[in-house]
Amino acid sequence: MSKAKIKICGIKNKDHIKEIANYGAHYIGLVFHEESKRYIEPKEASYIAQAAREYHLEPVAVFTHHTASEMQKIIDLLDLKTIQLHGEKSLAEQKNLSKDIARIYAFHVHENGEFEERPSILKNFRKSRDYLLYDGMVPGSGKFFSWKDFEPIEGYDFFLAGGLTSSRVKEALHHTHPFAVDVSSGVEDAKGEKCIKKIKAFIDEVNSVYV
């Protein structure tokens, strides 16, 4: 048994990096969906990504409706090893990216725990490199799905997202046993505004559970 890895998504403040690392996170997410309140300009994100690596955090770019060219420019600017793919366009375009980039492929799960398996994603999946991610139907909204009824695709390491908070994450871990958990709205005071106290509380709860 081991502890789940932790990803804090939607980071916009470089000053938070040291504390997030010291509390015990493993990944940070940088959102490049321009309509999101968690959106960050690529140049600013490059400073945060550099700081993250200095504290042994893995920066992850979150893409939605981006072309391969747009994604590759950000990957190169930030010197990234891992990206997260949500939108249909980015999912389709990812095949034209550098082969050594790790992908986190997002599945959007209904409230009842059901989701479309999407063989096209699994066809592109490389177990030595990639992960799945299960999120709610509206990522970043704070809405969660039924963990009791949820059954992940067997044989694939995955991140669990969707309305996780410090008060809910233990239950989610017990039901789903993910490789990692991914939180955004659950550690905010307002949409897009991270709260260090909530981040610490969330990480402490995750680290108290073996999966």
Coordinates of all heavy atoms in Angstrom, one line a residue, residues 15-81:
D15 N 4.4 32.6 -5.3 CA 4.8 32.6 -3.9 C 4.2 31.4 -3.1 O 4.6 31.2 -2.0 CB 4.3 33.9 -3.2 CG 5.0 35.2 -3.8 OD1 6.1 35.0 -4.3 OD2 4.4 36.3 -3.7
H16 N 3.2 30.8 -3.7 CA 2.6 29.6 -3.1 C 3.5 28.3 -3.3 O 3.2 27.3 -2.5 CB 1.2 29.3 -3.7 CG 0.2 30.3 -3.2 ND1 -1.0 30.4 -3.8 CD2 0.2 31.3 -2.2 CE1 -1.7 31.4 -3.3 NE2 -1.0 31.9 -2.3
I17 N 4.4 28.3 -4.2 CA 5.1 27.1 -4.6 C 5.8 26.4 -3.4 O 5.7 25.2 -3.2 CB 6.0 27.4 -5.8 CG1 5.2 27.7 -7.0 CG2 6.9 26.2 -6.0 CD1 4.3 26.7 -7.5
K18 N 6.6 27.2 -2.7 CA 7.4 26.6 -1.6 C 6.6 26.0 -0.6 O 6.9 24.8 -0.1 CB 8.3 27.7 -1.0 CG 9.2 27.2 0.1 CD 10.1 28.3 0.7 CE 11.0 27.8 1.8 NZ 11.9 28.8 2.4
E19 N 5.5 26.6 -0.2 CA 4.6 26.0 0.8 C 3.9 24.8 0.3 O 3.8 23.8 1.0 CB 3.6 27.1 1.3 CG 4.2 28.2 2.1 CD 3.1 29.3 2.5 OE1 2.8 30.0 1.6 OE2 2.7 29.3 3.6
I20 N 3.4 24.8 -0.9 CA 2.8 23.6 -1.5 C 3.8 22.5 -1.5 O 3.4 21.3 -1.2 CB 2.3 24.0 -2.9 CG1 1.1 24.9 -2.9 CG2 1.9 22.7 -3.7 CD1 0.7 25.5 -4.2
A21 N 5.0 22.7 -1.9 CA 6.0 21.6 -1.9 C 6.3 21.1 -0.5 O 6.4 19.9 -0.3 CB 7.3 22.1 -2.6
N22 N 6.5 22.0 0.4 CA 6.8 21.7 1.8 C 5.7 20.9 2.5 O 5.9 20.0 3.3 CB 7.1 22.9 2.6 CG 8.5 23.5 2.3 OD1 9.3 22.8 1.7 ND2 8.7 24.7 2.7
Y23 N 4.4 21.2 2.1 CA 3.3 20.4 2.7 C 3.2 19.0 2.1 O 2.6 18.1 2.7 CB 2.0 21.2 2.4 CG 1.9 22.5 3.1 CD1 1.1 23.5 2.6 CD2 2.5 22.7 4.3 CE1 0.9 24.7 3.2 CE2 2.4 23.9 5.0 CZ 1.6 24.9 4.4 OH 1.5 26.1 5.0
G24 N 3.8 18.8 0.9 CA 3.9 17.4 0.4 C 3.2 17.1 -0.9 O 2.9 15.9 -1.2
A25 N 2.9 18.1 -1.7 CA 2.3 17.9 -3.0 C 3.4 17.4 -4.0 O 4.6 17.4 -3.7 CB 1.7 19.2 -3.5
H26 N 2.9 16.9 -5.1 CA 3.8 16.3 -6.1 C 3.7 17.0 -7.5 O 4.7 17.0 -8.2 CB 3.5 14.8 -6.3 CG 3.6 14.0 -5.0 ND1 2.5 13.9 -4.2 CD2 4.6 13.4 -4.4 CE1 2.8 13.2 -3.1 NE2 4.1 12.8 -3.3
Y27 N 2.5 17.5 -7.8 CA 2.3 18.2 -9.1 C 1.6 19.5 -8.8 O 0.8 19.7 -7.9 CB 1.4 17.4 -10.0 CG 1.8 16.0 -10.3 CD1 1.5 14.9 -9.4 CD2 2.5 15.7 -11.5 CE1 1.9 13.6 -9.7 CE2 2.9 14.4 -11.8 CZ 2.6 13.3 -10.9 OH 3.0 12.0 -11.2
I28 N 1.8 20.5 -9.8 CA 0.9 21.6 -9.8 C 0.4 21.7 -11.3 O 1.0 21.3 -12.2 CB 1.7 23.0 -9.5 CG1 2.8 23.2 -10.5 CG2 2.1 23.0 -8.1 CD1 3.3 24.6 -10.5
G29 N -0.8 22.2 -11.4 CA -1.5 22.4 -12.7 C -1.5 23.8 -13.1 O -1.9 24.7 -12.3
L30 N -1.2 24.1 -14.3 CA -1.2 25.4 -14.9 C -2.2 25.4 -16.0 O -2.1 24.7 -17.0 CB 0.2 25.8 -15.4 CG 1.3 25.8 -14.4 CD1 2.7 25.8 -15.0 CD2 1.2 27.0 -13.4
V31 N -3.2 26.3 -15.9 CA -4.4 26.2 -16.8 C -4.2 27.2 -17.9 O -4.1 28.4 -17.7 CB -5.7 26.5 -16.0 CG1 -6.9 26.6 -16.9 CG2 -5.9 25.5 -14.9
F32 N -4.4 26.7 -19.1 CA -4.2 27.5 -20.3 C -5.5 27.7 -21.1 O -5.5 28.0 -22.3 CB -3.1 27.0 -21.2 CG -1.7 27.1 -20.6 CD1 -1.2 26.0 -20.0 CD2 -1.1 28.3 -20.5 CE1 0.1 26.1 -19.3 CE2 0.1 28.4 -19.8 CZ 0.7 27.3 -19.3
H33 N -6.6 27.5 -20.4 CA -7.9 27.7 -21.0 C -8.3 29.2 -20.7 O -8.6 29.5 -19.6 CB -9.0 26.8 -20.4 CG -10.4 26.9 -20.9 ND1 -10.7 27.0 -22.3 CD2 -11.5 27.1 -20.3 CE1 -12.0 27.2 -22.5 NE2 -12.5 27.2 -21.3
E34 N -8.3 30.0 -21.8 CA -8.4 31.4 -21.6 C -9.7 31.9 -20.9 O -9.8 33.0 -20.4 CB -8.2 32.2 -22.9 CG -6.8 32.0 -23.4 CD -6.5 32.9 -24.6 OE1 -7.4 33.7 -25.0 OE2 -5.4 32.8 -25.2
E35 N -10.8 31.1 -21.0 CA -12.0 31.5 -20.4 C -12.1 31.2 -18.9 O -13.1 31.5 -18.2 CB -13.2 30.8 -21.1 CG -13.3 31.2 -22.6 CD -14.4 30.5 -23.3 OE1 -15.2 29.8 -22.7 OE2 -14.5 30.7 -24.6
S36 N -11.1 30.5 -18.4 CA -11.1 30.1 -17.0 C -10.5 31.2 -16.1 O -9.6 31.9 -16.5 CB -10.2 28.8 -16.8 OG -10.1 28.6 -15.4
K37 N -11.1 31.3 -14.9 CA -10.5 32.3 -13.9 C -9.2 31.8 -13.4 O -8.5 32.6 -12.8 CB -11.5 32.5 -12.8 CG -12.8 33.3 -13.2 CD -13.6 33.7 -12.0 CE -14.8 34.5 -12.4 NZ -15.6 34.9 -11.3
R38 N -8.8 30.6 -13.8 CA -7.5 30.1 -13.3 C -6.5 30.2 -14.5 O -5.4 29.7 -14.3 CB -7.7 28.6 -12.9 CG -8.7 28.5 -11.7 CD -8.8 27.1 -11.3 NE -9.8 27.0 -10.2 CZ -11.1 26.7 -10.4 NH1 -11.5 26.4 -11.7 NH2 -12.0 26.7 -9.4
Y39 N -6.9 30.8 -15.6 CA -6.0 31.0 -16.7 C -4.7 31.7 -16.3 O -4.8 32.7 -15.6 CB -6.7 31.7 -17.8 CG -5.8 32.0 -19.0 CD1 -5.3 31.1 -19.9 CD2 -5.3 33.4 -19.1 CE1 -4.4 31.4 -20.9 CE2 -4.5 33.7 -20.2 CZ -4.0 32.7 -21.1 OH -3.2 33.1 -22.1
I40 N -3.6 31.3 -16.9 CA -2.4 32.0 -16.6 C -1.6 32.2 -18.0 O -1.6 31.3 -18.8 CB -1.5 31.2 -15.6 CG1 -0.2 32.1 -15.3 CG2 -1.1 29.9 -16.1 CD1 0.5 31.5 -14.1
E41 N -1.1 33.4 -18.1 CA -0.3 33.7 -19.4 C 0.9 32.8 -19.4 O 1.6 32.6 -18.4 CB 0.1 35.2 -19.4 CG -1.0 36.2 -19.5 CD -1.5 36.2 -20.9 OE1 -0.8 35.7 -21.8 OE2 -2.6 36.9 -21.2
P42 N 1.3 32.3 -20.6 CA 2.4 31.4 -20.7 C 3.7 31.9 -20.1 O 4.5 31.2 -19.4 CB 2.6 31.2 -22.2 CG 1.2 31.3 -22.7 CD 0.6 32.4 -21.9
K43 N 4.0 33.2 -20.3 CA 5.3 33.8 -19.8 C 5.3 33.7 -18.3 O 6.3 33.3 -17.6 CB 5.5 35.2 -20.2 CG 6.8 35.8 -19.8 CD 7.1 37.2 -20.5 CE 8.4 37.7 -20.1 NZ 8.7 39.0 -20.7
E44 N 4.2 34.1 -17.6 CA 4.1 34.0 -16.2 C 4.2 32.6 -15.7 O 4.8 32.3 -14.7 CB 2.8 34.7 -15.7 CG 2.6 34.7 -14.2 CD 3.7 35.6 -13.5 OE1 4.2 36.5 -14.1 OE2 3.9 35.3 -12.3
A45 N 3.5 31.7 -16.5 CA 3.5 30.3 -16.1 C 5.0 29.7 -16.1 O 5.3 28.8 -15.4 CB 2.6 29.5 -17.0
S46 N 5.8 30.2 -17.0 CA 7.2 29.7 -17.1 C 8.0 30.0 -15.9 O 8.8 29.2 -15.4 CB 7.9 30.4 -18.3 OG 8.1 31.7 -18.1
Y47 N 7.7 31.1 -15.2 CA 8.4 31.4 -13.9 C 7.9 30.5 -12.8 O 8.7 30.0 -12.0 CB 8.1 32.9 -13.5 CG 8.6 33.9 -14.5 CD1 7.7 35.0 -14.9 CD2 9.8 33.8 -15.1 CE1 8.1 35.9 -15.8 CE2 10.2 34.8 -16.0 CZ 9.4 35.8 -16.4 OH 9.8 36.8 -17.3
I48 N 6.6 30.2 -12.8 CA 6.1 29.3 -11.8 C 6.6 27.9 -12.1 O 6.9 27.2 -11.1 CB 4.5 29.3 -11.9 CG1 4.0 30.7 -11.4 CG2 3.9 28.2 -11.0 CD1 2.5 30.9 -11.5
A49 N 6.6 27.4 -13.3 CA 7.1 26.1 -13.6 C 8.6 25.9 -13.2 O 9.0 24.9 -12.6 CB 7.0 25.8 -15.1
Q50 N 9.4 27.0 -13.4 CA 10.8 26.9 -13.0 C 10.9 26.8 -11.5 O 11.7 26.0 -11.0 CB 11.5 28.2 -13.5 CG 13.0 28.2 -13.1 CD 13.7 29.4 -13.7 OE1 13.2 30.2 -14.4 NE2 15.0 29.5 -13.3
A51 N 10.1 27.6 -10.8 CA 10.1 27.6 -9.3 C 9.6 26.2 -8.8 O 10.2 25.6 -7.8 CB 9.2 28.7 -8.7
A52 N 8.6 25.6 -9.5 CA 8.1 24.3 -9.1 C 9.2 23.3 -9.1 O 9.4 22.5 -8.2 CB 6.9 23.9 -10.0
R53 N 9.9 23.2 -10.2 CA 11.0 22.3 -10.4 C 12.1 22.4 -9.3 O 12.7 21.4 -8.8 CB 11.6 22.3 -11.8 CG 10.7 21.7 -12.8 CD 11.4 21.6 -14.2 NE 11.6 22.9 -14.8 CZ 10.7 23.4 -15.6 NH1 9.6 22.8 -15.9 NH2 10.9 24.6 -16.1
E54 N 12.3 23.7 -8.9 CA 13.4 23.9 -7.9 C 12.9 23.3 -6.6 O 13.8 22.9 -5.7 CB 13.6 25.4 -7.7 CG 14.3 26.1 -8.9 CD 14.3 27.6 -8.8 OE1 13.8 28.1 -7.7 OE2 14.9 28.2 -9.7
Y55 N 11.6 23.1 -6.3 CA 11.1 22.5 -5.1 C 10.6 21.1 -5.4 O 9.8 20.5 -4.6 CB 10.0 23.4 -4.5 CG 10.6 24.6 -3.9 CD1 10.5 25.9 -4.6 CD2 11.2 24.6 -2.6 CE1 11.1 27.0 -4.0 CE2 11.7 25.8 -2.1 CZ 11.6 27.0 -2.8 OH 12.1 28.1 -2.2
H56 N 11.0 20.5 -6.5 CA 10.7 19.1 -6.8 C 9.2 18.8 -7.0 O 8.7 17.8 -6.7 CB 11.3 18.2 -5.7 CG 12.8 18.4 -5.4 ND1 13.7 18.1 -6.3 CD2 13.4 18.9 -4.4 CE1 14.9 18.4 -5.8 NE2 14.7 18.9 -4.6
L57 N 8.5 19.8 -7.5 CA 7.2 19.7 -8.0 C 7.2 19.6 -9.5 O 7.9 20.2 -10.2 CB 6.3 20.9 -7.6 CG 6.0 21.1 -6.1 CD1 5.5 22.5 -5.9 CD2 5.0 20.1 -5.6
E58 N 6.3 18.7 -10.0 CA 6.2 18.5 -11.5 C 5.1 19.5 -12.0 O 3.9 19.3 -11.7 CB 5.8 17.1 -11.8 CG 5.7 16.8 -13.3 CD 7.0 16.9 -14.0 OE1 8.1 16.6 -13.4 OE2 7.0 17.2 -15.2
P59 N 5.5 20.5 -12.8 CA 4.4 21.3 -13.4 C 3.7 20.6 -14.6 O 4.3 19.9 -15.4 CB 5.2 22.5 -14.0 CG 6.6 22.0 -14.2 CD 6.8 20.9 -13.2
V60 N 2.4 20.8 -14.6 CA 1.6 20.1 -15.7 C 0.7 21.2 -16.4 O 0.0 22.0 -15.7 CB 0.6 19.1 -15.0 CG1 -0.3 18.4 -16.1 CG2 1.4 18.0 -14.3
A61 N 0.8 21.3 -17.7 CA 0.0 22.2 -18.5 C -1.4 21.6 -18.7 O -1.4 20.4 -19.2 CB 0.7 22.6 -19.8
V62 N -2.4 22.3 -18.5 CA -3.8 21.9 -18.7 C -4.3 22.5 -20.0 O -4.5 23.7 -20.1 CB -4.7 22.2 -17.6 CG1 -6.1 21.7 -17.8 CG2 -4.2 21.6 -16.3
F63 N -4.5 21.7 -21.0 CA -5.0 22.2 -22.3 C -6.4 21.7 -22.6 O -6.8 20.7 -22.2 CB -4.1 21.6 -23.4 CG -2.7 22.1 -23.4 CD1 -1.6 21.2 -23.3 CD2 -2.4 23.5 -23.5 CE1 -0.3 21.7 -23.3 CE2 -1.1 23.9 -23.4 CZ 0.0 23.0 -23.3
T64 N -7.1 22.6 -23.4 CA -8.5 22.3 -23.8 C -8.6 22.3 -25.3 O -8.6 21.3 -25.9 CB -9.5 23.3 -23.1 OG1 -9.1 24.6 -23.4 CG2 -9.5 23.0 -21.6
H65 N -8.8 23.5 -25.8 CA -9.1 23.6 -27.3 C -7.9 24.2 -28.0 O -7.9 25.2 -28.6 CB -10.3 24.5 -27.5 CG -11.5 24.0 -26.7 ND1 -12.1 22.8 -26.9 CD2 -12.2 24.6 -25.7 CE1 -13.1 22.6 -26.1 NE2 -13.2 23.7 -25.3
H66 N -6.7 23.5 -27.8 CA -5.5 24.0 -28.4 C -5.0 23.1 -29.5 O -5.2 21.9 -29.5 CB -4.4 24.0 -27.3 CG -4.7 24.9 -26.1 ND1 -5.6 24.6 -25.1 CD2 -4.1 26.1 -25.8 CE1 -5.6 25.6 -24.3 NE2 -4.7 26.5 -24.7
T67 N -4.4 23.7 -30.5 CA -3.7 23.0 -31.6 C -2.4 22.4 -31.1 O -1.9 22.8 -30.1 CB -3.5 23.9 -32.8 OG1 -2.5 24.9 -32.4 CG2 -4.7 24.6 -33.3
A68 N -1.9 21.5 -31.9 CA -0.6 20.9 -31.5 C 0.5 22.0 -31.5 O 1.4 22.0 -30.6 CB -0.2 19.8 -32.5
S69 N 0.4 22.9 -32.4 CA 1.4 24.0 -32.5 C 1.3 24.9 -31.2 O 2.4 25.3 -30.6 CB 1.2 24.9 -33.7 OG 2.1 26.0 -33.7
E70 N 0.1 25.2 -30.8 CA -0.1 26.0 -29.6 C 0.4 25.3 -28.4 O 1.1 25.9 -27.5 CB -1.6 26.4 -29.4 CG -2.1 27.4 -30.5 CD -3.6 27.5 -30.5 OE1 -4.3 26.6 -30.0 OE2 -4.1 28.5 -31.0
M71 N 0.1 24.0 -28.3 CA 0.6 23.3 -27.1 C 2.1 23.1 -27.1 O 2.8 23.3 -26.1 CB -0.1 21.9 -27.1 CG -1.6 21.9 -26.8 SD -2.3 20.3 -26.5 CE -2.4 19.7 -28.2
Q72 N 2.7 22.9 -28.3 CA 4.1 22.7 -28.3 C 4.9 23.9 -27.9 O 6.0 23.9 -27.3 CB 4.5 22.2 -29.7 CG 6.0 21.7 -29.8 CD 6.1 20.4 -29.0 OE1 5.4 19.4 -29.3 NE2 7.1 20.4 -28.1
K73 N 4.4 25.1 -28.3 CA 5.0 26.4 -27.9 C 5.1 26.5 -26.4 O 6.1 26.9 -25.8 CB 4.3 27.5 -28.6 CG 4.5 27.7 -30.0 CD 3.8 28.9 -30.6 CE 4.0 29.1 -32.1 NZ 3.2 30.2 -32.6
I74 N 4.0 26.2 -25.7 CA 3.9 26.3 -24.3 C 4.8 25.2 -23.6 O 5.5 25.4 -22.7 CB 2.5 26.2 -23.8 CG1 1.7 27.4 -24.2 CG2 2.4 26.0 -22.3 CD1 0.2 27.4 -24.0
I75 N 4.8 24.0 -24.2 CA 5.6 22.9 -23.7 C 7.1 23.3 -23.8 O 7.9 23.1 -22.8 CB 5.4 21.6 -24.5 CG1 4.0 21.0 -24.2 CG2 6.5 20.6 -24.2 CD1 3.6 20.0 -25.2
D76 N 7.5 23.9 -24.9 CA 8.9 24.3 -25.0 C 9.3 25.5 -24.1 O 10.4 25.5 -23.5 CB 9.2 24.7 -26.5 CG 9.1 23.5 -27.4 OD1 9.2 22.3 -26.9 OD2 8.9 23.7 -28.6
L77 N 8.4 26.4 -24.0 CA 8.6 27.6 -23.2 C 8.8 27.2 -21.7 O 9.7 27.7 -21.0 CB 7.5 28.6 -23.3 CG 7.6 29.9 -22.4 CD1 8.8 30.7 -22.8 CD2 6.3 30.7 -22.6
L78 N 8.0 26.3 -21.3 CA 8.0 25.9 -19.9 C 8.9 24.7 -19.6 O 9.0 24.3 -18.4 CB 6.6 25.6 -19.4 CG 5.7 26.7 -18.9 CD1 5.5 27.8 -20.0 CD2 4.4 26.3 -18.3
D79 N 9.4 24.1 -20.7 CA 10.3 22.9 -20.5 C 9.5 21.8 -19.8 O 10.0 21.2 -18.8 CB 11.6 23.2 -19.8 CG 12.6 22.1 -19.9 OD1 12.5 21.3 -20.9 OD2 13.5 22.0 -19.1
L80 N 8.3 21.5 -20.3 CA 7.4 20.6 -19.6 C 7.7 19.1 -19.9 O 8.1 18.8 -21.0 CB 6.0 20.9 -19.9 CG 5.4 22.2 -19.5 CD1 4.1 22.5 -20.1 CD2 5.4 22.3 -17.9
K81 N 7.4 18.2 -19.0 CA 7.4 16.8 -19.2 C 6.0 16.2 -19.2 O 5.9 15.0 -19.7 CB 8.2 16.1 -18.1 CG 9.7 16.5 -18.1 CD 10.4 15.8 -16.9 CE 11.9 16.2 -16.9 NZ 12.6 15.5 -15.7

